[in-house]
Amino acid sequence: MKCLLSICHKEISYNLFILAIAVYFGTVLNIPLWLAFYEILSKLERVNVGFVISLPIFIIAALNIIFQAFAWPYISRIFFGILTLISAITAYASYQYGVIFDYGMIENTFETNSSEALSFLSFSGFMAFFVLGIIPCCIIFFVKIKKQSFFGKFIMYKIISVIVSIMVIVLIASFFYKDYVSVGRNNKYINRVINPSYVYTGIKYIDETYFTKPIAYQKIGLDAKLVTTATSNGKPTLFVFVLGETARAQNYQANGYPRPTNQYTQSDNMISFKNVTSCGTATAVSVPCLYSAMDRNNYNKQVAYNQDNFIDILHRAGISMLWKENDGGDKGVGARIRKTTLKRDVHNPLCDGESCFDMALLNNFDQEVAQMKGSKFITLHIMGSHGPTYYKRYPKDHTFFTPDCQRADIENCTKEQIVNSYDNTILYTDYVISQLIQKLKGYSDKYNTALFYISDHGESLGEGGLYLHGTPYSLAPKYQTTVPMMMWFSKSFTQDRGLNLTCLEHIANNAKRGDYSQDNVFSSMLGIMNVKTSVYKPQQDIFRQCRIN
């Protein structure tokens, strides 16, 4: 504390104040960047020592130039104080979980609800925030800065500081230009690791989300209509679409995982596609993309939010729709149909005031089905395996794999504990699905029943130093981009649709990575629900080749 007070009592020049901030950002708050450079350079056969030494100097000089643009009396302390606090959080997240704050992660951060945000709180996180953010912020606010007698002199010193920094960068470039170009071209993600590069991305997101005029809403599939097939038995359909959260395909027993994570649905003859890829690595991208008519390669957020998705088209064709939410939001997908959100009331034995176990989605299921007319399509958006508080996704009496990780700062748990907790979430999801199937079996005399389950994206559990999800797609490991896709059909449903399950199972078992993805969902849902429309793409319907009609 005495050391802190002595620093604050010293009077320094404005330029030294900004340079000190640039040094702090360039070294301490960019530790994740230096770790990334270490990993890159350690793989090279030869490394120029001078190039390595120049890296922090280059970053500090560049930051000094940028920071000088925001260094003005009356605003600089507030600006750099806030910047330091936010950057401390991003530095910690990048260091502990391998998070890269690109556009997708910024979008995911802004759209995270309070319950999800609170799940990231931990003692180690608070201490890191205190040391990296609050203490430096206090120094920024209380350190004494020399007052310039003339404004012209103040400007002159700023210009000199910028010129010197430019000269340093030019000098470094003259010696190591080839090294910088080589590393930059081969590791294009590296600029997104620099702290605080998130500022530019954040401004871009805010501008596009809140200040850019939205495009006109476009209705598609206006010709959609239900058709009757030759095999029709005349019964209406009851279809349940389970939208998963953060489940990765690699931890599914049905996909070859050695642990019994699908023991509840084993006897239900579910069909599992093993190599399905996601549209994104975060909910904010994957969910609207999955439901849209667009593919991952041409996905556009503005279009997705302002265009009909397959739910809208099914609804237009005369199918009764219901969306039940337990994961913090539908990302606009269910905006035009009936939607209910679970109340996280502490009086509900399946809720704790902050979140609910997914079994709560089955409450009032029978009443809700009774209130719907004709053929019915119900979406259940589950909490699934949302981290880092995996242990909060399953009740204590469903703790099958032990020891599990009973804390939010999963980096302080062992690898075994993390995997056990995560596998418990997969097993609990399997239990919820098995209970849904039992309910659907009870409706077999009245409806053609079916269930379809797919997760929005996967999850990293420490492989390669990465945790959670949201890594830029081009860099993301397969654990974040490979998702489970499973389905169950009643006997009357398969007969009504002319669906050959042996054929479908053969396709599922022999599919290679890249054969099927979330791009297939749009047309597959239109097809299996017998909705005819011009926007249907038969080549993307996974059921088409296994149907008689």
Side-chain angles (χ1 to χ4, degrees):
M1 183 60 70
K2 288 183 178 179
C3 179
L4 179 61
L5 291 172
S6 64
I7 293 173
C8 292
H9 281 113
K10 288 183 180 180
E11 196 173 54
I12 62 174
S13 67
Y14 219 94
N15 282 330
L16 183 58
F17 172 67
I18 300 304
L19 181 61
I21 294 175
V23 170
Y24 178 64
F25 269 79
T27 53
V28 178
L29 292 184
N30 266 295
I31 287 176
L33 173 67
W34 306 127
L35 291 175
F37 268 123
Y38 174 79
E39 186 176 347
I40 292 168
L41 298 178
S42 63
K43 295 176 182 178
L44 301 178
E45 292 182 5
R46 258 184 212 178
V47 178
N48 190 322
V49 177
F51 167 62
V52 175
I53 295 173
S54 76
L55 284 169
I57 300 172
F58 181 93
I59 295 296
I60 291 169
L63 288 173
N64 185 61
I65 295 171
I66 296 169
F67 288 174
Q68 284 290 349
F70 301 93
W72 301 96
Y74 307 112
I75 66 167
S76 59
R77 291 184 194 269
I78 296 174
F79 174 81
F80 288 110
I82 294 173
L83 188 69
T84 299
L85 292 175
I86 298 174
S87 297
I89 296 172
T90 59
Y92 175 77
S94 296
Y95 177 78
Q96 289 291 4
Y97 305 120
V99 174
I100 295 178
F101 286 87
D102 66 336
Y103 188 93
M105 180 54 68
I106 294 293
E107 181 181 32
N108 205 39
T109 302
F110 270 85
E111 298 186 13
T112 296
N113 59 41
S114 58
S115 177
E116 291 178 359
L118 288 172
S119 70
F120 285 87
L121 295 181
S122 64
F123 179 74
S124 60
F126 173 76
M127 288 304 300
F129 179 65
F130 182 80
V131 173
L132 298 176
I134 294 177
I135 292 177
C137 187
C138 289
I139 296 174
I140 288 172
F141 272 92
F142 294 108
V143 70
K144 293 183 179 180
I145 302 175
K146 293 178 183 178
K147 292 183 179 180
Q148 296 291 342
S149 53
F150 298 103
F151 186 70
K153 194 175 183 181
F154 171 77
I155 295 296
M156 183 183 70
Y157 283 152
K158 282 177 72 72
I159 293 173
I160 291 173
S161 178
V162 171
I163 291 174
V164 171
S165 294
I166 292 174
M167 290 175 64
V168 169
I169 291 173
V170 171
L171 184 64
I172 291 173
S174 65
F175 283 98
F176 310 111
Y177 178 77
K178 289 183 179 179
D179 298 276
Y180 277 89
V181 170
S182 176
V183 171
R185 284 180 178 173
N186 295 324
N187 304 276
K188 293 183 179 180
Y189 72 94
I190 203 70
N191 64 316
R192 287 172 283 182
V193 183
I194 300 173
N195 205 352
S197 63
Y198 65 84
V199 172
Y200 169 76
T201 311
I203 291 173
K204 182 180 178 183
Y205 170 80
I206 292 171
D207 176 60
E208 291 183 359
T209 305
Y210 302 105
F211 297 101
T212 301
K213 185 178 179 180
I215 62 176
Y217 190 87
Q218 181 185 12
K219 291 184 177 181
I220 62 173
L222 295 174
D223 57 345
K225 63 178 181 179
L226 275 172
V227 296
T228 302
T229 62
T231 54
S232 176
N233 56 28
K235 289 195 293 187
T237 296
L238 175 55
F239 195 105
V240 176
F241 187 105
V242 181
L243 176 58
E245 170 64 57
T246 319
R248 67 188 211 178
Q250 291 85 354
N251 288 53
Y252 272 67
Q253 179 186 3
N255 295 337
Y257 190 53
R259 307 182 90 182
T261 53
N262 294 121
Q263 57 183 286
Y264 292 109
T265 59
Q266 255 189 331
S267 60
D268 290 317
N269 298 316
M270 291 193 76
I271 295 173
S272 177
F273 280 69
K274 300 176 176 57
N275 292 291
V276 179
T277 54
S278 65
C279 190
T281 60
T283 305
V285 175
S286 285
V287 170
C289 179
L290 182 155
Y291 281 82
S292 77
M294 292 175 284
D295 297 338
R296 189 184 78 80
N297 292 330
N298 66 351
Y299 173 72
N300 181 286
K301 175 187 174 181
Q302 289 294 323
V303 174
Y305 275 76
N306 293 282
Q307 186 183 80
D308 285 343
N309 53 60
F310 77 75
I311 276 185
D312 299 309
I313 298 172
L314 293 179
H315 191 209
R316 181 174 296 124
I319 299 171
S320 293
M321 311 297 295
L322 173 63
W323 182 291
K324 293 193 71 175
E325 180 62 53
N326 188 36
D327 192 34
D330 64 340
K331 307 306 176 187
V333 172
R336 293 161 293 278
I337 63 168
R338 183 187 166 206
K339 182 171 58 176
T340 62
T341 301
L342 290 186
K343 293 181 180 179
R344 297 166 178 176
D345 198 309
V346 291
H347 298 297
N348 187 331
L350 292 171
C351 305
D352 62 4
E354 293 182 0
S355 63
C356 296
F357 297 123
D358 287 322
M359 270 301 292
L361 285 164
L362 275 65
N363 291 344
N364 305 316
F365 185 86
D366 294 329
Q367 295 92 315
E368 287 160 340
V369 170
Q371 292 169 4
M372 301 169 74
K373 297 179 181 180
S375 289
K376 304 164 176 63
F377 190 99
I378 300 174
T379 301
L380 302 183
H381 192 188
I382 67 174
M383 184 72 81
S385 304
H386 201 294
T389 51
Y390 304 122
Y391 70 97
K392 289 187 176 182
R393 307 298 166 236
Y394 51 92
K396 288 183 179 180
D397 59 353
H398 278 266
T399 305
F400 185 84
F401 303 103
T402 58
D404 58 349
C405 179
Q406 293 280 325
R407 55 196 300 170
D409 51 343
I410 57 175
E411 68 277 3
N412 291 316
C413 290
T414 65
K415 174 76 172 179
E416 179 191 14
Q417 289 174 317
I418 295 172
V419 173
N420 283 341
S421 295
Y422 185 80
D423 283 350
N424 282 330
T425 68
I426 302 296
L427 182 57
Y428 185 64
T429 294
D430 194 63
Y431 171 74
V432 174
I433 290 175
S434 73
Q435 295 303 300
L436 270 167
I437 291 174
Q438 294 311 307
K439 273 194 169 293
L440 292 176
K441 286 179 179 179
Y443 282 101
S444 60
D445 60 328
K446 296 179 181 178
Y447 298 94
N448 298 312
T449 56
L451 181 143
F452 183 94
Y453 165 69
I454 189 169
S455 182
D456 56 355
H457 54 77
E459 185 84 323
S460 286
L461 300 176
E463 299 89 358
L466 290 178
Y467 291 89
L468 307 178
H469 53 268
T471 303
Y473 204 94
S474 59
L475 305 172
K478 61 183 180 180
Y479 301 108
Q480 293 187 33
T481 61
T482 312
V483 295
M485 185 170 77
M486 304 174 72
M487 53 207 74
W488 170 88
F489 305 105
S490 67
K491 186 177 180 180
S492 67
F493 185 94
T494 57
Q495 291 174 345
D496 183 81
R497 296 315 196 265
L499 186 61
N500 185 328
L501 296 186
T502 303
C503 165
L504 191 63
E505 193 163 8
H506 175 77
I507 292 172
N509 291 335
N510 291 280
K512 297 177 181 178
R513 184 174 173 83
D515 287 348
Y516 297 100
S517 71
Q518 290 178 344
D519 294 348
N520 294 98
V521 176
F522 180 87
S523 290
S524 296
M525 289 301 104
L526 294 177
I528 203 65
M529 291 302 292
N530 284 343
V531 171
K532 185 178 180 181
T533 171
S534 57
V535 294
Y536 166 77
K537 302 173 184 175
Q539 71 276 13
Q540 290 193 345
D541 184 351
I542 58 176
F543 305 111
R544 183 177 66 94
Q545 57 186 310
C546 294
R547 294 183 67 178
I548 297 171
N549 46 38

